[in-house]
Amino acid sequence: MNISVSRKGFVVGSVAASLSLAACGSRATAPAATSSDPVEVRVASLKGPTSIGLVAFMDKASLEQTGLTNTYDFQVYGTADEVLPKVISGDVDIALVPANVSSVLYNKTQGAIQALDINTLGVLSIVTGDASVAEFADLAGRTVYLTGKGTTPEYVMGYLLDRAGITDAVTLEFKSEAAEVVSALAADPSAVGVLPEPYKTAALAKNDSLSAPVALSDVWDSLATDGSRMVTGVTIVRREFAENNAQAVEEFLAQQESSVDVVKADPATYAQSVVDHGIIDAAPVAEKAIPGCNLVCLAGDDMKAALSGYLDVLSQFDASSVGGSLPGDDFYYGA
C-alpha cells in the first residue's frame, strides 16, 4: 500500500538559493544545475522511522503557494522491495531506504544512485524488566531475544558484542518478528530483548515493568574508533536526476533538514501527521516514539564518515548485505 499526496508551490529563485546554502549542515557545494526550471520530484519512503522526519515537509508541500520552487510527489511504501525496482527503472527520483539497501542499489545500478544524507541513526534498544541490566556490558551471561537473523540487526549485535569483548558470554536467540520478542519479555521479567522503534515504545506503553536502559546507537558511538555511526536510514537520489536538477536536490535537502528539526522539537504537533501519512498507526505511539527515532540530516563529509564505516562493518559479516562490495567515493553526494 502507498499513500500519494500531490505537491504544489512556487517561490522566486533567490529564496530557493538561500535554502540550498543551509541544507543538512556543512556540505561541499553540489554541482551546478543544468536546469533551474521547476520540476516534479518523485519521492519514495517507507513506513517506519526513516519517513518520520519528512512529515512536516510532506505537509508543507501538500499546500498551495508554500514557497517551494518545485512540486513533490511523496509515496509511502510498506517494504523496501517495493521501492527498489522503482528507483532502478527511474520512476522514483529520491528515496529513503535502509542504509544497506543504498549500497545494494549503488552496486545493482553500477553507480547510478548516490547517497544524499543519513536520515535516521540507530533505532534499536535493549528492552528488559530486569533492573540489573543498566549498560551493554550487563548482557554478559544472558540470552538476548531479537529479530533479524542473517540481516543487519544480527551484524550490528555481532559487531558491538565483539567490540565490548563479550561475544562468547552472550547467547542470541532470534525470533521471526518483533511481537515474538515482546511476548518473550512479557513471559519472563528477567528476559532481555532488542527492539526497534516504534515497537520499543509500544512495548513500554503496554507493560510498565519494562524499560529500555540502553540504546545501541549510543553503544556504537562509545565503541567505534573510525568515525562510523550506527545508521538506519539513508536518502538516495538517482545520479542522472541530481546532475540535471541540482537546484531541486538542494531544495529537497534544505526542506528535509528543516522538517527533521521541527518534528524532533515538537513531537506532539506532528504525531498525527505521522499517522495521516501512514507511517505509524497511532498518534500516541508516534508522539512517544519520535524522540527515540534518532532523526537526523547528516550530509557531506559527516555522512561519508558515518555511513562508509557502518557499511564496512556489514560487509565484513556478509558482503552480499551491501551488494557485494563497498560503494566508491562517488556514492557520497557533496562529500
Side-chain angles (χ1 to χ4, degrees):
M1 183 185 79
N2 61 68
I3 298 170
S4 175
V5 188
S6 61
R7 315 295 177 189
K8 297 182 180 179
F10 306 93
V11 70
V12 296
S14 60
V15 175
S18 66
L19 285 172
S20 70
L21 294 176
C24 284
S26 60
R27 177 160 51 85
T29 303
T34 57
S35 172
S36 59
D37 294 333
V39 296
E40 181 185 55
V41 185
R42 299 163 300 175
V43 184
S45 61
L46 300 173
K47 293 184 68 173
T50 55
S51 293
I52 290 175
L54 273 185
V55 296
F57 183 13
M58 295 165 78
D59 289 345
K60 178 178 181 179
S62 67
L63 304 173
E64 300 283 348
Q65 304 296 328
T66 56
L68 298 172
T69 299
N70 305 285
T71 60
Y72 294 86
D73 177 52
F74 288 91
Q75 303 270 346
V76 179
Y77 294 89
T79 68
D81 288 342
E82 297 174 80
V83 176
L84 267 66
K86 295 181 181 296
V87 175
I88 293 170
S89 66
D91 292 330
V92 165
D93 304 310
I94 292 174
L96 286 73
V97 298
N100 69 305
V101 171
S102 68
S103 179
V104 170
L105 276 170
Y106 173 88
N107 283 299
K108 189 176 289 289
T109 62
Q110 298 181 319
I113 68 103
Q114 292 180 283
L116 280 180
D117 61 65
I118 294 169
N119 56 62
T120 317
L121 292 171
V123 297
L124 296 173
S125 295
I126 301 297
V127 179
T128 183
D130 189 340
S132 68
V133 178
E135 56 187 42
F136 192 72
D138 295 332
L139 298 184
R142 298 175 181 272
T143 295
V144 177
Y145 300 97
L146 70 164
T147 60
K149 176 67 175 175
T151 62
T152 53
E154 179 181 9
Y155 308 149
V156 165
M157 278 297 291
Y159 171 74
L160 296 179
L161 291 171
D162 178 67
R163 296 289 298 180
I166 57 174
T167 300
D168 295 336
V170 177
T171 300
L172 300 181
E173 183 169 324
F174 290 91
K175 302 295 186 180
S176 60
E177 57 185 29
E180 293 182 27
V181 176
V182 174
S183 295
L185 296 174
D188 180 0
S190 67
V192 178
V194 174
L195 289 172
E197 289 289 8
Y199 296 100
K200 179 202 81 175
T201 294
L204 297 184
K206 292 179 180 179
N207 187 344
D208 59 11
S209 69
L210 297 176
S211 66
V214 181
L216 295 191
S217 186
D218 292 340
V219 178
W220 189 297
D221 288 346
S222 70
L223 296 175
T225 58
D226 58 357
S228 67
R229 307 287 301 274
M230 182 178 167
V231 183
T232 296
V234 171
T235 306
I236 60 172
V237 63
R238 290 190 298 110
R239 185 183 301 275
E240 180 182 18
F241 181 85
E243 291 174 347
N244 292 334
N245 303 281
Q247 181 279 330
V249 172
E250 292 296 298
E251 180 179 73
F252 177 89
L253 282 166
Q255 294 296 327
Q256 182 183 22
E257 181 180 37
S258 176
S259 183
V260 166
D261 287 345
V262 299
V263 171
K264 288 169 62 176
D266 193 359
T269 294
Y270 289 99
Q272 187 58 49
S273 288
V274 173
V275 175
D276 292 343
H277 291 292
I279 299 167
I280 292 179
D281 293 335
V285 173
E287 180 180 350
K288 292 179 179 178
I290 287 171
C293 283
N294 229 340
L295 307 178
V296 295
C297 189
L298 298 180
D301 291 338
D302 290 340
M303 167 187 64
K304 183 177 181 181
L307 180 55
S308 63
Y310 176 73
L311 293 175
D312 184 47
V313 168
L314 300 185
S315 178
Q316 290 179 42
F317 280 90
D318 180 5
S320 68
S321 70
V322 298
S325 62
L326 294 173
D329 290 342
D330 64 327
F331 176 60
Y332 302 95
Y333 180 92

